[in-house]
Amino acid sequence: MVSERIEKLINEQIAKEQFAAQYYLAMSAYFETLDLVGLAHYFRIQCKEELMHADKMFDYLNDVGGAVILQAIPAPEQNFTDVEDVFAKALAHEKEVTKSIVTIAKAAAEECDFATSSFLQWFINEQVEEEASASLYLNKIKMVKDNPSAMYLLDQELAQRVLTTDTGSQA
Ligand SMILES: [Fe+2]
Ligand SMILES: [Fe+2]
């Protein structure tokens, strides 16, 4: 049985993952307005990944006898200034999510809640990858932003992204 404190933190994290999905969908919509369909596709996949993260937490909370309490998801910002602005905000957002996961991991460690610690390890690893890819693409955008031909190629590269459904779930 999970503690009330951990239950609350995981419920908050479910909402944060759902908000991240909304935020990435807003970014995808922005790129659609620019006809950068590869970038739009990349963020659409990112949105789906975040929903899978929320589902993974939903399942875990049920598995350990916690109650899922869904929360209102705030509207995301949608007034992006340019392509670089979006990628910078995506990286900043992932860093916030990492902090939030670490907060839950600290609480689980304090409570000797080894099941939650083990569960969160997948998210800690995932955040390393999320920050690394957000940082990589932010740097690529900085390289190509003033060169339409290079941007065209990067858009094509990002159009190739495929949704990975391996969330480490044992179910
Ligand atoms: Fe996530
Ligand atoms: Fe993420």
Side-chain angles (χ1 to χ4, degrees):
M1 187 70 183
V2 75
S3 74
E4 276 183 27
R5 178 190 181 200
I6 298 292
E7 180 187 74
K8 182 169 180 285
L9 286 169
I10 293 177
N11 271 313
E12 286 168 2
Q13 192 63 36
I14 289 171
K16 286 177 186 176
E17 299 291 343
Q18 290 174 330
F19 174 76
Q22 283 279 84
Y23 201 16
Y24 286 137
L25 195 56
M27 292 175 182
S28 181
Y30 172 73
F31 288 127
E32 290 287 353
T33 67
L34 301 178
D35 284 335
L36 287 166
V37 295
L39 299 193
H41 170 79
Y42 179 88
F43 280 96
R44 195 74 175 268
I45 299 275
Q46 197 65 26
C47 164
K48 289 179 178 162
E49 270 198 10
E50 300 301 348
L51 292 175
M52 282 164 34
H53 296 167
D55 283 354
K56 194 174 166 69
M57 297 224 168
F58 179 103
D59 289 339
Y60 177 73
L61 205 44
N62 282 313
D63 285 349
V64 292
V68 169
I69 311 282
L70 297 173
Q71 300 177 19
I73 310 301
E77 176 199 349
Q78 290 202 253
N79 53 339
F80 304 108
T81 52
D82 58 21
V83 176
E84 184 180 339
D85 180 46
V86 176
F87 279 82
K89 282 173 178 163
L91 175 58
H93 187 69
E94 287 299 339
K95 287 183 175 177
E96 285 303 310
V97 171
T98 300
K99 276 190 210 162
S100 180
I101 299 279
V102 166
T103 298
I104 312 174
K106 279 185 189 163
E110 278 170 25
E111 296 188 13
C112 295
D113 178 347
F114 300 116
T116 299
S117 294
S118 170
F119 170 73
L120 290 174
Q121 192 59 52
W122 183 90
F123 282 91
I124 288 166
N125 297 342
E126 172 70 6
Q127 284 311 118
V128 172
E129 283 182 33
E130 290 273 66
E131 285 193 32
S133 60
S135 174
L136 176 78
Y137 282 111
L138 174 59
N139 286 331
K140 285 192 183 196
I141 289 294
K142 285 178 183 168
M143 281 180 239
V144 306
K145 65 177 182 178
D146 297 322
N147 180 334
S149 306
M151 183 64 89
Y152 178 81
L153 290 174
L154 184 60
D155 191 58
Q156 288 198 320
E157 179 187 326
L158 289 176
Q160 304 305 313
R161 185 175 182 193
V162 176
L163 179 65
T164 314
T165 51
D166 176 21
T167 58
S169 172
Q170 286 147 18

